[in-house]
Amino acid sequence: MVAQHDYAHQLLAVFRTEFNREPELLVRGPGRINLLGEHTDYNGGLVLPASIDKEIIFAIARRNDQTCRIVAENVNQSFTFGLDQLNHSPLGWPNYLMGVVDELQKARLQPGGFELVFGGNIPAGAGLSSSAALECGLAFALNKLYDLGLSTLDMVKLGQRAENQFVGVNCGIMDQFASMFGRNQSVIQLDCKSLHHEYFPFQTTDYVLILCDTGVKHSLGDSEYNTRRSECETGVGILQQYDPAIRLLRDASTDLVDAHRDEMPGKVYQRCRYVTQEIQRVREACEFLLRNDLTAFGQKMYETHAGLQHEYEVSCPELDFLVDQTRQDDTVLGARMMGGGFGGCTINIVQREAADAFVERMSAAYQQAFNIELKCYPVRITDGTSVVAV
């Protein structure tokens, strides 16, 4: 927690310099990881995310007019807009914040103007959902400052709508949900169809979660993502003929998918098979967590990676290399690619006392294979969006 508070003090100093007064509120909006349940969200399935100690801190105070003045401390940029002038900014980052204000206004809630300094330690481009942290943190702060009466779930949905509609990114609800609903030393089993959620214990006394960032983002990511979604929809259309109750792949079983494999064109069978198996994997993995069996849980992570690599085909050589490097390492319980694919991070469960040696070995191997410096981030599971006491 020390680093977080150090950072909060830094933002306080910037706020005082910029606005010549004290902020009324300090809020932390955490990034998130996803332990299992990849590409199941838009199929209405189960995911297993958690909020982490990589976060954005917000120092904010009300204004008594309609002006919003914002300083992005990390990038040393500032932006001002009026509550009645929400125009897209080429800077990019202001759109996530204006999107939140836009959604509050659409909901007939009227926050006033504000002064804000924000910054954090969520690594850029690593797939830890800094955008959700930005949206949820501001929604939480404005809800508190202006007593808007929003529930946690209201703020989650508002953050997702801001990203879908104002920013224009068709994300699912998992990122915002994990950022808001996170709980220390727990993962969230979230049903993306009903939004029912349960917490499962994830004890990391003897183990640490380490993200290994490939440093690559292959350009076919976006187009392939849309292709996967449509392949899943094609599969649902075929299965519906046999069971009209099937609206999403989460409503189907792997057995049903197998029974109709010959009717599925192209790669549709492999995609549907992976998704139905992955949803079942999340259920089984949560049973292992209840028994505190992280070894069995880690095996499920390897199974997920194999499915993403061979059936869903969203991995890439760099991700596969990093996962393969862990297979003969007794200090690693599980590893897989995390996120949409074609780059980004792998997530690894590593024995705590072996963590430094793991990072050293992985970095050397990756440098030799790809001539890219491997960035590794140990992460700790924390509570979700909350007020920071300094």
Side-chain angles (χ1 to χ4, degrees):
M1 296 299 278
V2 178
Q4 178 206 93
H5 285 176
D6 284 351
Y7 199 79
H9 285 297
Q10 190 178 322
L11 286 180
L12 272 174
V14 175
F15 192 96
R16 288 173 188 136
T17 304
E18 287 287 333
F19 302 121
N20 204 24
R21 61 171 175 148
E22 295 292 317
E24 293 176 71
L25 189 63
L26 283 174
V27 168
R28 63 177 289 271
R32 68 99 191 97
I33 52 174
N34 188 30
L35 275 298
L36 279 176
E38 212 65 83
H39 286 280
T40 53
D41 55 347
Y42 53 84
N43 288 296
L46 302 176
V47 291
L48 202 62
S51 48
I52 54 170
D53 61 345
K54 301 282 182 273
E55 62 223 348
I56 295 172
I57 306 275
F58 300 77
I60 191 167
R62 287 171 289 195
R63 287 174 61 96
N64 51 17
D65 60 14
Q66 300 289 291
T67 302
C68 304
R69 295 177 61 201
I70 302 170
V71 176
E73 197 267 343
N74 284 89
V75 290
N76 199 22
Q77 292 176 340
S78 57
F79 187 78
T80 300
F81 66 94
L83 292 173
D84 55 349
Q85 296 168 308
L86 301 176
N87 303 312
H88 279 250
S89 164
L91 287 176
W93 60 262
N95 297 327
Y96 296 94
L97 301 167
M98 285 191 287
V100 169
V101 173
D102 185 45
E103 286 301 326
L104 287 170
Q105 292 179 346
K106 283 180 186 168
R108 295 191 163 74
L109 297 167
Q110 296 300 333
F114 55 88
E115 289 171 339
L116 167 67
V117 175
F118 76 89
N121 59 1
I122 301 178
L128 302 184
S129 290
S130 54
S131 56
L134 209 48
E135 293 146 1
C136 293
L138 182 63
F140 183 94
L142 293 177
N143 187 49
K144 268 241 180 306
L145 275 184
Y146 283 104
D147 203 16
L148 301 176
L150 293 167
S151 71
T152 308
L153 188 57
D154 291 336
M155 291 186 275
V156 165
K157 290 177 174 176
L158 188 138
Q160 185 197 13
R161 288 198 306 272
E163 190 150 344
N164 289 168
Q165 292 172 25
F166 198 90
V167 180
V169 175
N170 190 20
C171 65
I173 204 164
M174 173 178 75
D175 298 347
Q176 290 82 4
F177 201 100
S179 189
M180 290 294 292
F181 276 95
R183 184 184 288 177
N184 192 36
Q185 299 232 22
S186 300
V187 292
I188 310 166
Q189 188 199 85
L190 170 65
D191 182 325
C192 293
K193 183 182 178 184
S194 68
L195 299 188
H196 172 77
H197 68 286
E198 292 177 56
Y199 293 97
F200 288 82
F202 197 91
Q203 300 300 340
T204 50
T205 317
D206 303 322
Y207 293 92
V208 61
L209 291 163
I210 299 178
L211 305 177
C212 295
D213 187 351
T214 60
V216 301
K217 196 69 193 160
H218 294 289
S219 57
L220 35 74
D222 291 343
S223 61
E224 289 293 327
Y225 177 80
N226 293 332
T227 303
R228 294 300 174 282
R229 287 190 78 142
S230 69
E231 286 167 334
C232 291
E233 286 160 14
T234 300
V236 168
I238 291 162
L239 297 173
Q240 262 176 350
Q241 297 168 38
Y242 302 95
D243 182 350
I246 294 173
R247 291 275 174 268
L248 295 155
L249 267 184
R250 72 83 44 77
D251 304 321
S253 66
T254 305
D255 287 347
L256 187 67
V257 170
D258 286 345
H260 300 287
R261 95 179 265 175
D262 293 344
E263 298 154 61
M264 296 185 175
K267 302 269 188 170
V268 170
Y269 166 69
Q270 286 98 305
R271 310 305 191 229
C272 294
R273 182 178 167 81
Y274 163 75
V275 171
T276 53
Q277 285 187 325
E278 179 72 348
I279 293 167
Q280 186 56 27
R281 256 192 295 275
V282 173
R283 290 192 182 100
E284 291 166 5
C286 287
E287 292 303 312
F288 293 136
L289 290 181
L290 290 177
R291 301 205 287 267
N292 200 22
D293 188 347
L294 278 184
T295 305
F297 183 93
Q299 286 307 306
K300 292 289 166 196
M301 292 172 69
Y302 283 119
E303 287 175 25
T304 291
H305 187 80
L308 289 165
Q309 181 181 358
H310 300 297
E311 292 187 308
Y312 219 64
E313 295 180 292
V314 291
S315 191
C316 64
E318 294 90 347
L319 289 166
D320 296 337
F321 175 85
L322 288 174
V323 171
D324 287 342
Q325 284 294 304
T326 69
R327 291 183 194 277
Q328 305 308 315
D329 187 337
D330 293 340
T331 68
V332 181
L333 295 189
R336 70 172 191 89
M337 60 155 275
M338 184 183 81
F342 307 105
C345 289
T346 64
I347 180 167
N348 306 265
I349 306 178
V350 184
Q351 280 178 11
R352 190 170 286 281
E353 65 267 25
D356 291 344
F358 169 82
V359 168
E360 207 171 296
R361 187 176 67 75
M362 294 291 279
S363 300
Y366 195 67
Q367 181 78 46
Q368 191 176 355
F370 295 100
N371 199 24
I372 298 173
E373 184 188 341
L374 183 70
K375 294 192 180 74
C376 296
Y377 312 107
V379 295
R380 203 166 46 78
I381 294 176
T382 63
D383 288 328
T385 309
S386 53
V387 173
V388 178
V390 178

